[in-house]
Amino acid sequence: MFYNRVILFIMKDAMARSYFWTMLCLILHQIDAAYWREWEMFYLPGGVQGFLAFNLAAIAVVLAGYRQVLLALPRARLYAGICGALGVATFVIHAGFALAGLEQFHLPLSMAIIVLCLGCALWLFNDLRLHRRRPVA
């Protein structure tokens, strides 16, 4: 029983780290997206106001999920999956934009943040996979 609790604590801590870095990369990307006027790339209705409304909702969900992970609440795995999916989607969408010839996000740090969104998301998915294999104390 004690061993299970120790393993659960270690795994929760590992998932909290990978969640934090994925969340940080996603938020950094959204800051960069404001510079590149990403709402124009997506043809968002409402322009910058639609972009801000989307980010209000998306960042609120990601931050609420971080709380779930830190406190090892029942929905932590769900939120970790959502955060990881956002990281992968960010990379895939922007890779598609790059292949389509759009010139936004071609500065080295912009590209690094997008690649880090993918890398951190994969790290989070790996921690999520390992967390699912552990018994719950």
Side-chain angles (χ1 to χ4, degrees), residues 29 33 38 41-42 89-99 105 114:
H29 169 70
E38 191 174 61
M41 296 169 65
F42 285 102
T90 297
F91 176 82
V92 169
I93 290 167
H94 288 81
F97 282 150
L99 290 173
F105 300 99
I114 291 169

Side-chain angles (χ1 to χ4, degrees), residues 25-26 28-29 32 108-118:
C25 289
L26 288 167
L28 283 173
H29 169 70
D32 193 35
L109 197 50
S110 296
M111 291 188 293
I113 291 169
I114 291 169
V115 170
L116 284 169
C117 282
L118 175 65

Side-chain angles (χ1 to χ4, degrees), residues 7-17 69-72 131:
I7 293 298
L8 183 63
F9 175 78
I10 291 168
M11 294 308 299
K12 177 189 73 116
D13 193 44
M15 192 163 67
R17 275 193 299 275
V69 170
L70 286 177
L71 299 176
H131 191 265

Side-chain angles (χ1 to χ4, degrees), residues 14-134:
M15 192 163 67
R17 275 193 299 275
S18 57
Y19 192 105
F20 172 82
W21 287 105
T22 306
M23 175 180 66
L24 178 64
C25 289
L26 288 167
I27 292 171
L28 283 173
H29 169 70
Q30 289 311 110
I31 293 167
D32 193 35
Y35 171 79
W36 291 108
R37 302 174 64 96
E38 191 174 61
W39 57 90
E40 293 174 354
M41 296 169 65
F42 285 102
Y43 301 102
L44 282 178
V48 68
Q49 297 300 304
F51 178 76
L52 289 172
F54 166 77
N55 280 293
L56 175 65
I59 292 172
V61 167
V62 171
L63 288 173
Y66 189 52
R67 179 181 178 276
Q68 293 277 327
V69 170
L70 286 177
L71 299 176
L73 296 174
R75 293 193 175 155
R77 293 174 180 171
L78 170 67
Y79 279 97
I82 291 168
C83 186
L86 287 170
V88 171
T90 297
F91 176 82
V92 169
I93 290 167
H94 288 81
F97 282 150
L99 290 173
L102 274 74
E103 295 181 10
Q104 292 91 332
F105 300 99
H106 281 124
L107 292 177
L109 197 50
S110 296
M111 291 188 293
I113 291 169
I114 291 169
V115 170
L116 284 169
C117 282
L118 175 65
C120 291
L122 294 177
W123 176 25
L124 178 55
F125 279 135
N126 184 59
D127 285 347
L128 185 58
R129 180 184 59 84
L130 294 173
H131 191 265
R132 284 186 177 155
R133 289 183 174 182
R134 300 292 182 196

